[in-house]
């Protein structure tokens, strides 16, 4: 709810939005909407949404014209805006943003004057290539993919359909990227992993990495995130994974389907993370461990050994089950209070 987004040339009536989002209206169906606003400071002519109970006080004070709410919401006071009831308010807003973005987005072939595409590279239909972008030998770019300004796509890279590669992304040679992938600015895909062998004289000899990175469909990778290629084989990011900014995925790691990671998480080499996991910011994973499907970790958790039980919720460093940590924390806190006294 902490955003204000003004769409260019966006104007809908409440009735039209109800049809788009398959919702039910309560109030004036002809009210016109031209953008979004925060529920705390709603503006006339805009749309807000209410999904978090702690914001309920603003439902009764907002000046927005249309308010999206869950279908089971029961107001305790009079509400001024027209209400649009949907199954899931947060999901409805996400769907509306996607709908509007798709409506505005035009797929047209474009190759900027100052870009360079090697002769043996193959571009699909309606591919956009921005200024100072480079696409290497035998690279393959799928239909309707956007290669923004100053992107480097190395030799032999494969990128699927409907991808967006934002400015400044570097994709090393031989990497494989699926369909509907979004990679934000500054991300690096395919750098060498951190591998060095100690020698008798105390120095370190670099271990060459000859593998690649495979990113499957529907993945989103945040700004300045790095995913290292494997020594042998592949570092794999499975379908539907969402990675925040400033995340490090080391060589030979595997991230399971639909797993999400908040900013500054770090996954060490050869660690395998299961499906549908959720990790708070700055969570860290030791190398050569496995993490079961459905695992959840709070921010700054340190996972030093394998997690074998599916659906575990962990906290702390080293991470332990959440309720065990909270009981332990009660003792830590009490001990600190006594010491201060």
């Amino acid at each position: 709810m902490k955003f204000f987004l003004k769409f260019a040339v966006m104007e809908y009536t409440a009735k039209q939005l109800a049809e788009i989002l398959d919702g039910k209206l309560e109030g004036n169906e002809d009210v016109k909407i031209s953008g979004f606003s925060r529920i705390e400071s709603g503006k006339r002519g805009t749309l807000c949404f209410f999904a978090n109970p702690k914001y309920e006080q603003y439902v009764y004070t907002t000046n927005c014209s249309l308010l999206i709410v869950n279908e089971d919401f029961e107001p305790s006071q009079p509400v001024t805006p027209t209400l649009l009831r949907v199954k899931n308010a947060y999901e409805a807003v996400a769907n509306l943003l996607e709908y509007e973005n798709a409506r505005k987005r035009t797929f047209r072939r474009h190759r900027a004057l100052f870009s360079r595409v090697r002769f043996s590279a193959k571009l699909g239909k309606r591919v956009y290539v921005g200024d100072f972008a480079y696409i290497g030998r035998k690279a393959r770019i799928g239909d309707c993919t956007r290669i923004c300004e100053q992107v480097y796509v190395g030799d032999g890279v494969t990128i699927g359909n409907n991808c967006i590669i934002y400015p400044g992304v570097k994709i090393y040679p031989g990497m494989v990227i699926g369909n509907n992938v979004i990679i934000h600015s500054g991300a690096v895909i395919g750098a060498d992993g951190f591998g060095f062998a100690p020698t008798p004289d105390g120095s370190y000899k670099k271990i060459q990495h000859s593998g690649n990175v495979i990113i499957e469909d529907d993945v989103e990778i945040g700004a300045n995130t790095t995913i290292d290629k494997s020594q042998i084989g592949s570092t794999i990011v499975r379908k539907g994974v969402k990675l925040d900014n400033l995340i490090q995925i080391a060589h030979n790691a595997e991230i399971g389907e639909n797993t999400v990671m908040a900013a500054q998480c770090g996954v060490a080499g050869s660690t395998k993370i299961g499906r549908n996991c959720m990790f708070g910011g700055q969570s860290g994973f030791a190398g050569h461990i496995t993490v079961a499907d459905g695992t959840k970790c709070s921010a700054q958790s340190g996972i030093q050994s394998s997690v074998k039980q599916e659906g575990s919720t962990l906290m702390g460093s080293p991470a332990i089950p959440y309720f065990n940590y909270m009981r332990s924390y009660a003792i830590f806190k009490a001990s600190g209070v006594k010491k201060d006294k």
Side-chain angles (χ1 to χ4, degrees), residues 324-340:
N324 291 350
Y325 180 89
M326 296 307 293
R327 285 194 290 267
S328 300
Y329 179 72
I331 298 172
F332 304 156
K333 186 176 181 180
S335 299
V337 170
K338 290 178 181 179
K339 186 176 181 181
D340 291 341

Side-chain angles (χ1 to χ4, degrees), residues 80-103:
T80 302
T82 296
L83 294 183
L84 175 55
R85 294 184 178 273
V86 295
K87 290 182 179 179
N88 185 309
Y90 199 85
E91 183 178 350
V93 171
N95 290 339
L96 179 57
L97 289 167
E98 183 177 4
Y99 174 87
E100 179 64 15
N101 185 61
R103 186 180 71 85

Side-chain angles (χ1 to χ4, degrees), residues 160-176:
N161 302 327
N162 302 307
C163 296
I164 304 175
I165 314 299
Y166 280 105
V169 171
K170 311 302 179 191
I171 304 174
Y172 280 51
M175 306 302 113
V176 178

Side-chain angles (χ1 to χ4, degrees), residues 96-311:
L96 179 57
L97 289 167
E98 183 177 4
Y99 174 87
E100 179 64 15
N101 185 61
R103 186 180 71 85
K104 294 189 301 180
R105 189 178 176 192
T106 58
F107 295 100
R108 62 186 179 85
R109 187 178 182 90
H110 171 79
R111 187 183 299 181
L113 177 64
F114 294 107
S115 65
R116 185 176 186 189
V117 179
R118 301 307 292 254
F119 180 76
S120 58
K122 184 176 181 180
L123 275 57
K125 299 176 182 177
R126 300 188 296 280
V127 170
Y128 176 96
V129 182
D131 280 314
F132 304 106
Y134 173 87
I135 299 177
R137 296 178 179 86
K138 298 184 179 180
R140 298 290 183 266
I141 312 297
D143 297 344
C144 302
T145 283
R146 186 177 182 88
I147 307 296
C148 293
E149 291 67 25
Q150 297 183 328
V151 169
Y152 171 84
V153 178
D155 296 346
V157 167
T158 299
I159 300 177
N161 302 327
N162 302 307
C163 296
I164 304 175
I165 314 299
Y166 280 105
V169 171
K170 311 302 179 191
I171 304 174
Y172 280 51
M175 306 302 113
V176 178
I177 296 171
N179 302 314
N180 307 310
V181 172
I182 299 172
I183 305 179
H184 289 276
S185 295
V188 178
I189 310 299
D192 285 353
F194 190 70
F196 300 90
T199 63
D201 65 2
S203 63
Y204 291 87
K205 182 177 177 61
K206 180 178 177 64
I207 298 173
Q208 297 299 323
H209 288 66
S210 60
N212 71 345
V213 173
I214 297 175
I215 297 172
E216 296 186 346
D217 298 347
D218 304 313
V219 170
E220 183 158 354
I221 297 169
N224 294 316
T225 285
T226 57
I227 304 176
D228 294 343
K229 66 182 177 182
S230 58
Q231 291 180 1
I232 300 173
S234 300
T235 301
I236 304 175
V237 179
R238 296 291 185 189
K239 183 177 180 179
V241 167
K242 312 300 180 187
L243 302 179
D244 200 356
N245 304 330
L246 297 165
I247 287 174
Q248 159 68 12
I249 307 296
H251 60 268
N252 290 96
E254 181 176 333
I255 313 299
E257 289 184 14
N258 299 318
T259 285
V260 294
M261 293 186 182
Q264 299 182 8
C265 286
V267 180
S270 299
T271 286
K272 297 188 182 301
I273 292 176
R275 295 175 293 179
N276 301 111
C277 296
M278 299 177 67
F279 304 118
Q282 296 185 335
S283 294
F285 299 81
H288 303 274
I289 65 173
T290 58
V291 177
D293 296 347
T295 298
K296 298 178 177 63
C297 295
S298 66
Q300 296 189 327
S301 295
I303 296 83
Q304 298 183 2
S305 58
S306 291
V307 179
K308 298 179 181 179
Q309 183 175 349
E310 293 186 10

